[in-house]
Amino acid sequence: MAKIFHPLLALIASASDRELAKYVEYLKAENQILRARIPGQIHTTAGERQTLIKLGKGIGRAIEELITIVTPTTFFRWLREEKGSKSKTKNPKGGQRKPRELRELVIEIAKTTGFGYTRIIGELRKLGIKNISRQTVRNILKEEEIQPGPDRTSDSWTEFLNRHGETLWASDFFSVKSMTARGLRDLYVMVFLNLQTREAIVTESTYRPNSAWVCRQTKMFTEQTKDREKRPAILIHDRDTKYTKKFRETVEAAGMKTNPLPKASPNLNGRCERFIETIKLECLNKFIVFGKKHLDYLTDEFTSYYNTKRSHMERDHLPPIREEPGEVETISIDQIEVKKYVGGLIKSFERKAA
C-alpha cells in the first residue's frame, strides 16, 4: 500500500488527463529548445540506446513527434537491429528451449496474475507441469521484457482509485483569519473529501485545533457516513501533528484504515487541497469573517452548494451529489430560475419545479 503514494505519482494524484497532456506539450517544446542549442550529432552509448528503445517502443509511431536526440529513421533502425539480434540469440546455457505452448502459458500467467517467478511455478505445478525451473521462468519473462512480480503489481494512483472508488476519502486542515474583539485570530477547519465523487464534508471551526477537537470532528464524519451503502474504508492524510495516535484509534474504531502520506508530498493530497483552494477563492476570500459562527455558516452554505449544485469537470460537468438530468435539446427562459447561495454571492441556474 505504501508504494501507492510514491512521490513519482504526485502529478497523477493531482492532474487530469488534459493537464498531463499540457505537461507533455511543455516538455516537448523545452526539449526542442535545448536540442537546438547543441550543435552537431549526439552519439549515444549502448546503454543509452537500450533505455531509449525500452521507453520508446510503447509509444509507437508517436515517437516521430517526440524524439530529437536522433532521427526517427535511426530509432526504427535500432528497433530492427534489436529484433534481429534477439532472433539470433541462442540459449546461453546451450540447453533446449521449452515448447512454444509452455512459453506462452508462462507469459499468460505472468500478465494475467502479476505473479512473481515462484508463484508462477506454483500455478504450473497445479496444472501438472513439473519439468520447468524457476530460472527457466525467469529467462522466459526476461526475453519478453516482463518485469518481476513486485514491479508489475505496484499500483498507479489511477488503478488504486478505480479499485477503491467511493470508499476512499482524504482529510486536511485549513485556517481562516477571523475578526474578533481580541483582534485577528486564526480559525481552523477540517475537511473530508471523497476522491472519486468529490463530495466534501466540512467540520465546524475552532480556535484550538487540538487532538480532542480532531477526534470529535472525525466521529462526526463517521456518524454522517456510517449508514451509506459504500461506507468510507480508507482515510488518507498528511503527517500534520494534529493527526495524533488518538485520531488513528478513532478512525480504526469506526472500521476504517488510515494511510499517512509520505513527508514533503503535498501533491499526493491534491484533490483535497484543490477543494480548499476553491472554497477560499469562491467564498471565504470575499468576506470579512466575524467569529466562529459566521465562518461555520459560510462553510456550511458553500459546501452544500458545492456538493449539490456546483458543476465539476471530473464529474461530467455535474455536481458530486446529483441526479442525472433528463436530456433536452433546448429550454426556454421561463422554465429556469436563478437561485442564490451564500448570501447571494453565488448564483445557480436551475429548472423550475414542475
Side-chain angles (χ1 to χ4, degrees):
M1 183 68 70
K3 285 190 176 182
I4 296 167
F5 303 106
H6 192 282
L8 291 178
L9 296 176
L11 287 179
I12 298 177
S14 60
S16 64
D17 290 341
R18 184 178 299 177
E19 289 172 328
L20 290 175
K22 291 179 180 178
Y23 298 158
V24 172
E25 286 299 318
Y26 171 81
L27 292 174
K28 284 168 58 179
E30 186 180 75
N31 191 34
Q32 290 172 353
I33 293 172
L34 294 174
R35 181 68 185 92
R37 300 287 178 88
I38 303 175
Q41 183 179 2
I42 297 177
H43 298 280
T44 57
T45 65
E48 291 169 343
R49 286 195 294 273
Q50 287 300 317
T51 300
L52 293 174
I53 290 171
K54 182 178 179 180
L55 298 176
K57 278 195 297 188
I59 300 177
R61 303 299 300 188
I63 195 71
E64 296 180 5
E65 300 179 9
L66 296 173
I67 195 165
T68 59
I69 196 167
V70 294
T71 64
T73 302
T74 299
F75 179 82
F76 290 123
R77 175 170 58 79
W78 289 350
L79 290 181
R80 290 193 300 271
E81 291 174 351
E82 184 196 46
K83 188 175 181 180
S85 64
K86 279 187 178 181
S87 62
K88 297 176 183 178
T89 300
K90 296 181 179 180
N91 186 0
K93 292 187 178 181
Q96 186 175 359
R97 291 169 65 85
K98 294 298 180 183
R100 179 174 57 84
E101 293 80 4
L102 181 56
R103 295 174 61 82
E104 292 176 351
L105 178 59
V106 170
I107 294 168
E108 182 65 22
I109 292 174
K111 290 182 176 179
T112 302
T113 64
F115 289 164
Y117 309 138
T118 303
R119 293 196 66 183
I120 292 175
I121 290 288
E123 293 299 309
L124 294 173
R125 294 290 189 269
K126 290 192 300 183
L127 297 173
I129 301 171
K130 298 182 179 180
N131 188 25
I132 186 171
S133 67
R134 187 178 185 279
Q135 183 62 41
T136 300
V137 171
R138 179 181 182 278
N139 291 340
I140 291 173
L141 298 186
K142 186 176 180 180
E143 290 174 10
E144 295 297 323
E145 297 185 351
I146 299 176
Q147 297 298 322
D151 292 333
R152 288 182 283 110
T153 57
S154 59
D155 273 326
S156 70
W157 176 262
T158 302
E159 291 168 345
F160 178 72
L161 184 58
N162 289 339
R163 188 165 64 252
H164 292 280
E166 295 178 343
T167 64
L168 178 62
W169 289 72
S171 175
D172 205 350
F173 301 94
F174 69 92
S175 63
V176 178
K177 295 290 184 183
S178 169
M179 184 70 70
T180 70
R182 299 179 181 180
L184 284 177
R185 296 183 63 188
D186 285 325
L187 274 167
Y188 294 85
V189 181
M190 192 173 182
V191 174
F192 297 90
L193 186 83
N194 183 278
L195 296 192
Q196 178 170 305
T197 67
R198 304 302 206 277
E199 176 189 357
I201 295 177
V202 179
T203 71
E204 66 177 54
S205 59
T206 185
Y207 291 110
R208 299 179 180 85
N210 54 27
S211 177
W213 174 80
V214 172
C215 291
R216 286 199 303 273
Q217 309 318 306
T218 304
K219 288 179 180 178
M220 177 278 299
F221 164 69
T222 58
E223 284 293 318
Q224 188 171 339
T225 57
K226 69 177 182 180
D227 295 328
R228 299 187 179 192
E229 180 181 353
K230 296 182 179 179
R231 294 176 56 190
I234 300 174
L235 183 65
I236 67 172
H237 58 85
D238 58 26
R239 296 180 181 270
D240 193 303
T241 55
K242 291 187 282 294
Y243 293 114
T244 60
K245 180 180 179 181
K246 188 66 175 177
F247 159 78
R248 292 191 294 273
E249 292 174 351
T250 303
V251 173
E252 292 168 2
M256 292 185 291
K257 296 180 180 179
T258 62
N259 201 320
L261 299 174
K263 294 181 180 179
S265 57
N267 285 340
L268 294 184
N269 205 9
R271 288 177 172 86
C272 206
E273 294 280 358
R274 185 64 181 87
F275 169 77
I276 292 172
E277 181 183 11
T278 297
I279 193 173
K280 285 187 173 182
L281 289 178
E282 297 186 10
C283 179
L284 300 179
N285 288 354
K286 301 180 185 297
F287 288 91
I288 297 175
V289 177
F290 292 96
K292 177 181 182 304
K293 289 185 178 180
H294 188 202
L295 178 59
D296 290 345
Y297 167 78
L298 293 176
T299 56
D300 185 66
E301 279 282 296
F302 183 84
T303 304
S304 176
Y305 159 76
Y306 178 91
N307 285 334
T308 60
K309 303 299 179 184
R310 187 184 185 278
S311 62
H312 200 297
M313 184 176 67
E314 294 298 326
R315 298 289 285 163
D316 296 326
H317 298 281
L318 291 172
I321 303 174
R322 83 278 197 209
E323 295 180 359
E324 295 287 342
E327 187 173 352
V328 295
E329 291 186 5
T330 185
I331 190 170
S332 60
I333 291 294
D334 58 4
Q335 294 177 291
I336 300 172
E337 61 180 336
V338 180
K339 290 191 175 181
K340 299 179 181 180
Y341 299 90
V342 196
L345 174 66
I346 300 171
K347 300 177 178 63
S348 173
F349 284 77
E350 301 171 23
R351 291 183 184 180
K352 290 182 179 179

